[in-house]
Amino acid sequence: MNNLLVMPLLIPLCTAVLLLFLKRNIVLQRSLSLIGLLLHAATSFMIVYQVHNEGIQTLHMGGWAPPYGIVFVADSLASLLVAATSIAGFFCLIYSFQSIGEERERFYYYPLFQFLLVGVSGSFLTGDLFNLFVCFEVMLISSYALIVLGGTKRQLRETLKYMLINILSSTLFVATVAYLYGVTGTLNMAHLSIRIAEMQQGGILNAIAVLLMIVFAMKAGLFLFFWLPGSYSAPPAAVAALFGALLTKVGVYALIRSFTLLFYHEPSISQGLIGWMAGATIVLGSIGAIAFSDVRRILNYNVIISVGFIAYGLSAATRAGWDGAVFYLIHDMTAKALLFILGGIIVQLAGTSNLKEMGGMIRRYPLVGWMFFVVSLAVAGIPPLSGFAGKLLILQGGLEAKQYVLAALSLLSSIVVLCSLLRIFIAAFWGEEKPCPEGAGERSIVARSAVAAAGGLLVLIVAMGLGSEWVYGLVEQAGHTLYTPSQYIESVLKEQ
């Protein structure tokens, strides 16, 4: 057993509790939040190192042998996603210092930020389906408060919609878990995999698989994404960056884990339905990305497109497709954090999110403009940046699975992504410089202070692209675990 696995949950949890008692001291809150995230990152990378060199790590809470009790499992996929969470969270936190506003900081912004990390990290590391539900709820409750923090009319409206949708999906989740336990007698994921294989996944198990797919698809924004564009447009840019980088990825991870470890025996569900939903998500997300002239809306629809693309890799059910899905998932967590941070900076500088009211900012803010240009290329999958390797592997996997229509849609979506983001770049930074709106001087200072966070993420994205062969060494190990679920099962259920 490896007690280090609980640290990505314990560190932000203790940090959040401590911050609750420091409401009035903003400087101390910022410092402790930063220290907590640095410790979270350190433990995350230690786990990645151990998994890469020693294999899958497990922790059975209270010493209860599986399948009883709570178990945490760190395979290559989970450990890489926790590390990516710490990176995205770190830079979003730095951006928060100069963008979130003192009023929100005094109303428990930093404790809520840390609680959100608890839920996200726990979702990646848990080896128990009910514990996954608990971690989802920790994450969602924190996100409810972060969306409404500030109390504007738009935030209240979108929070109500966001809460209703997630309460509905969470109710369906816990009901589905109850049905699954009634049929199999266990909720330990490794043990569930054995039980489902023994029962040959027919009848009621197929119905349960579809219900879980609906739950996780709703949380990931896969096809059932109608709630996402409005909800992610309401909060401040720092919160939107955190959401765009992390929240949908937890739902995507749950889909990957469920349909590579549990319900992989029925291809019509694990490949057919997910593939159909991926194609619809790519098409509808692309339409949204080119239909709007609002920066926030365009970025939100780009999140939806990326979810569909990762789901396409999952539906291929080939080694290359799953390797690509993991690689692109890690890239997307960092790239979306950077994209939303830069989008927030652009809106601050322009004083509006409407592209028709922007222009000419390249003369005063060339660094921001060219960083946005580079990340646009990365998100579109242009080599040698970080998005290229993942997209190439997903396309290879899709072609191996003879999913030619989805392959064509994914290639077209890359063009749409590039066009939609370059549209922001051209509208905001080229053309005639628009008159500065009232308060633009103050916005300029805030934006320049946030460039450091964006610069750090940009360096990481470029490094991931140039060092993609090294990153693929880690990703390949994760893909091998997905492709051979017996490795995960043996590591969890071995005698202690």
Side-chain angles (χ1 to χ4, degrees):
M1 291 198 300
N2 188 346
N3 291 320
L4 190 63
L5 299 192
V6 78
M7 298 308 291
L9 287 78
L10 190 60
I11 290 171
L13 178 62
C14 293
T15 304
V17 172
L18 181 60
L19 292 175
L20 290 173
F21 298 97
L22 301 172
K23 175 182 177 181
R24 298 184 182 278
N25 196 327
I26 300 301
V27 174
L28 189 56
Q29 284 196 64
R30 292 177 178 177
S31 301
L32 290 176
S33 295
L34 192 59
I35 291 170
L37 260 169
L38 288 172
L39 291 174
H40 184 280
T43 55
S44 300
F45 283 106
M46 288 175 65
I47 293 171
V48 171
Y49 177 81
Q50 289 181 351
V51 171
H52 184 65
N53 291 281
E54 302 171 18
I56 296 174
Q57 304 292 303
T58 61
L59 173 62
H60 306 291
M61 300 298 289
W64 287 86
Y68 309 104
I70 296 172
V71 60
F72 290 102
V73 185
D75 62 350
S76 294
L77 174 61
S79 61
L80 287 172
L81 293 182
V82 172
T85 296
S86 65
I87 292 170
F90 176 78
F91 288 106
C92 287
L93 183 68
I94 293 176
Y95 178 55
S96 298
F97 293 161
Q98 299 297 330
S99 67
I100 199 67
E102 187 173 331
E103 183 180 357
R104 289 187 175 93
E105 287 179 307
R106 291 189 184 278
F107 281 90
Y108 306 106
Y109 171 74
Y110 295 111
L112 292 169
F113 190 106
Q114 297 290 335
F115 279 126
L116 186 80
L117 293 182
V118 174
V120 173
S121 301
S123 297
F124 291 145
L125 290 171
T126 184
D128 180 273
L129 205 56
F130 184 78
N131 205 35
L132 177 63
F133 166 75
V134 173
C135 292
F136 259 99
E137 291 309 296
V138 173
M139 176 187 73
L140 288 172
I141 291 170
S142 303
S143 68
Y144 299 156
L146 286 170
I147 286 184
V148 79
L149 197 62
T152 66
K153 183 178 180 180
R154 183 182 185 185
Q155 285 179 291
L156 292 170
R157 183 182 66 249
E158 294 299 334
T159 301
L160 181 61
K161 179 175 68 176
Y162 180 75
M163 287 180 64
L164 289 174
I165 293 301
N166 279 288
I167 288 171
L168 176 63
S169 64
S170 295
T171 303
L172 182 58
F173 189 7
V174 75
T176 305
V177 167
Y179 285 128
L180 186 59
Y181 183 77
V183 173
T184 62
T186 183
L187 291 175
N188 180 285
M189 291 185 189
H191 199 212
L192 270 172
S193 183
I194 294 174
R195 289 287 179 88
I196 292 170
E198 290 173 347
M199 300 173 70
Q200 299 182 346
Q201 192 183 327
I204 186 65
L205 285 174
N206 281 338
I208 291 172
V210 171
L211 288 174
L212 274 182
M213 182 187 297
I214 293 171
V215 170
F216 295 146
M218 191 174 294
K219 294 183 183 296
L222 178 64
F223 186 60
L224 303 172
F225 61 78
F226 54 90
W227 55 270
L228 192 151
S231 297
Y232 281 22
S233 297
V239 176
L242 190 66
F243 285 8
L246 301 182
L247 293 196
T248 55
K249 310 309 183 294
V250 178
V252 171
Y253 166 80
L255 279 171
I256 292 173
R257 185 65 78 194
S258 297
F259 291 94
T260 59
L261 180 63
L262 307 181
F263 301 103
Y264 60 90
H265 308 281
E266 183 54 65
S268 63
I269 296 175
S270 58
Q271 297 178 46
L273 283 179
I274 293 178
W276 178 83
M277 294 171 74
T281 302
I282 290 171
V283 171
L284 295 174
S286 298
I287 294 172
I290 60 178
F292 287 92
S293 297
D294 183 272
V295 171
R296 295 189 181 98
R297 291 274 179 167
I298 294 171
L299 298 185
N300 291 340
Y301 277 101
N302 272 275
V303 171
I304 292 165
I305 296 171
S306 66
V307 169
F309 197 85
I310 297 168
Y312 166 43
L314 172 61
S315 70
T318 62
R319 181 64 186 273
W322 288 353
D323 285 350
V326 175
F327 199 120
Y328 196 80
L329 183 57
I330 296 168
H331 145 79
D332 201 59
M333 292 172 75
T334 53
K336 287 299 186 294
L338 175 56
L339 196 63
F340 275 81
I341 288 172
L342 289 173
I345 293 174
I346 290 170
V347 171
Q348 283 182 310
L349 292 174
T352 178
S353 61
N354 190 337
L355 293 179
K356 297 177 182 178
E357 299 175 7
M358 298 180 180
M361 291 196 294
I362 196 71
R363 298 176 182 84
R364 291 183 293 150
Y365 311 105
L367 183 58
V368 174
W370 291 117
M371 283 198 296
F372 190 87
F373 178 76
V374 173
V375 74
S376 299
L377 299 181
V379 173
I382 304 299
L385 300 170
S386 59
F388 173 70
K391 285 201 169 188
L392 182 63
L393 286 167
I394 290 175
L395 283 171
Q396 178 186 338
L399 293 174
E400 289 174 359
K402 299 182 180 180
Q403 294 177 326
Y404 302 121
V405 174
L406 283 175
L409 288 176
S410 64
L411 287 173
L412 290 173
S413 74
S414 297
I415 298 173
V416 171
V417 166
L418 185 61
C419 290
S420 67
L421 296 179
L422 289 183
R423 183 175 162 221
I424 296 176
F425 175 70
I426 293 170
F429 292 97
W430 297 105
E432 183 181 354
E433 187 171 0
K434 300 294 175 66
C436 294
E438 185 179 353
E442 183 181 351
R443 291 191 185 96
S444 300
I445 295 172
V446 172
R448 284 197 296 268
S449 301
V451 166
L457 280 169
L458 185 67
V459 170
L460 183 62
I461 287 171
V462 173
M464 285 177 61
L466 297 177
S468 56
E469 185 175 357
W470 178 81
V471 177
Y472 180 69
L474 299 173
V475 168
E476 187 179 26
Q477 190 176 17
H480 178 70
T481 303
L482 295 177
Y483 208 71
T484 54
S486 59
Q487 188 179 43
Y488 182 99
I489 295 168
E490 291 170 3
S491 298
V492 175
L493 298 181
K494 65 185 177 182
E495 292 185 3
Q496 301 300 308

